[in-house]
Amino acid sequence: MAGILDGKAALVTGGGSGIGRATAIAMAREGARVAVSDLSKDGIEETVALVNAAGGQSIAIQGDVTDEAAVANMVARTVSAFGRIDCAFNNAGVAGRSVGPPGQRIHELTQPTVAKMFSVNLMGVFLCLKYEIAQMLKQGGGGAIVNTASIAGLIGLATSAHYVATKHGVVGLTKSAAVEYAQDGIRVNCVNPGYIKTPMTKETMDERYDEIMAKVPVRRLGVPEEIAEAVVWMCSDKASFMTGASHVVDGGYTAA
Ligand code: NAP
């Protein structure tokens, strides 16, 4: 049966773990050739092995999304392997615990902590958009980009102001890119996951599972595959009229 991404070439950042890995696998299942990028060499090699073992075609590109030259290289290497980029999933990100002590309110956050958060979650998405869009304009024929925002891109969360600010920023970048490049056939959307079972949420869930689940109408964590399916669809031509959207996949969290 034909896949909904047949013939397309895709780039996934944060592809060595969690949501990015599940999405790389789902994209390949739907027929895309996938360039998998991440900080961690082991993570991307594992994802590439999983994709290729399932009959897909993928390559690993190690790189830091905060480094402009590395982002330019991710795009260049994808094009040199697959000839073009039709879809991109700008998903690499960090949570509060990766950049500083957890549980801090605004008056306790330090500038280096906040700067690190902004650099990965916001500047990283900006740099990816810049180089992916430049390539899509150069090759012609449009494209589809999905950025990973969060429910934190739509609501406030206590002790996560820096994370929330970056994810609201991702929603804004997504809307502006959608408006700027609609004329070129490039669609740009974001996915807004709720709480998903990945390495990023492990410690928080170990400590606060019951408190958080009390706010989730479906009363469970999502799994990365449930985000991947939404991203694959947004990258496909089936979503041809969708651009500038924030697509919430959160078990009802923001509806409650
Ligand atoms: P994850 O399993 O930790 O995956 C995130 C990946 O991004 C990791 O492999 C990480 O590498 C990589 N990364 C971090 N900094 C990077 C950098 N500077 N350059 C390149 N790669 C970098 O977490 P996840 O839950 O799948 O998160 C994926 C995205 O979903 C993030 O943007 C996150 O904010 C968002 N999100 C997650 C949830 C959730 O509940 N899990 C909810 C809403 C939104 P290292 O591990 O080597 O640092």
Side-chain angles (χ1 to χ4, degrees):
M1 210 168 79
I4 63 174
L5 298 180
D6 266 353
K8 297 194 188 288
L11 170 62
V12 175
T13 70
S17 179
I19 292 168
R21 171 174 291 170
T23 303
I25 292 169
M27 284 176 155
R29 181 200 70 211
E30 292 299 330
R33 292 162 292 161
V34 188
V36 181
S37 185
D38 209 310
L39 277 180
S40 142
K41 192 164 180 290
D42 290 351
I44 46 179
E45 283 177 355
E46 225 175 281
T47 303
V48 164
L50 288 165
V51 168
N52 293 347
Q57 195 185 331
S58 67
I59 58 163
I61 308 170
Q62 191 176 8
D64 181 340
V65 295
T66 68
D67 174 349
E68 183 162 7
V71 174
N73 176 58
M74 283 171 210
V75 171
R77 285 204 44 212
T78 305
V79 173
S80 106
F82 303 143
R84 54 189 292 115
I85 293 188
D86 303 292
C87 315
F89 183 35
N90 299 324
N91 165 75
V94 289
R97 284 173 191 274
S98 310
V99 294
Q104 291 186 312
R105 293 195 287 162
I106 290 170
H107 71 279
E108 296 162 318
L109 286 166
T110 64
Q111 188 173 357
T113 294
V114 175
K116 170 81 176 157
M117 179 70 84
F118 284 14
S119 160
V120 180
N121 287 11
L122 193 51
M123 187 60 79
V125 173
F126 165 75
L127 290 172
C128 289
L129 282 171
K130 178 178 162 76
Y131 284 90
E132 291 154 2
I133 288 170
Q135 173 58 31
M136 287 173 179
L137 292 174
K138 187 170 150 199
Q139 72 198 19
I145 300 175
V146 177
N147 300 316
T148 303
S150 166
I151 54 172
L154 303 171
I155 58 173
L157 293 171
T159 69
S160 297
H162 49 344
Y163 184 76
V164 166
T166 62
K167 295 301 186 179
H168 276 68
V170 170
V171 171
L173 271 177
T174 301
K175 288 179 179 173
S176 292
V179 171
E180 284 183 11
Y181 298 101
Q183 64 192 355
D184 304 294
I186 300 172
R187 294 184 300 102
V188 188
N189 293 290
C190 60
V191 68
N192 298 66
Y195 288 92
I196 309 300
K197 188 171 184 191
T198 71
M200 181 179 278
T201 50
K202 182 168 183 328
E203 283 166 294
T204 301
M205 288 304 141
D206 287 348
E207 290 165 13
R208 298 174 48 210
Y209 183 84
D210 290 342
E211 173 206 330
I212 290 171
M213 285 310 113
K215 296 183 191 157
V216 183
V218 302
R219 300 281 184 263
R220 67 169 175 85
L221 284 173
V223 293
E225 291 74 15
E226 291 174 308
I227 306 304
E229 296 304 325
V231 175
V232 165
W233 182 78
M234 284 192 276
C235 284
S236 80
D237 296 339
K238 290 186 181 290
S240 48
F241 199 53
M242 184 178 188
T243 196
S246 291
H247 187 43
V248 174
V249 187
D250 70 349
Y253 189 102
T254 50

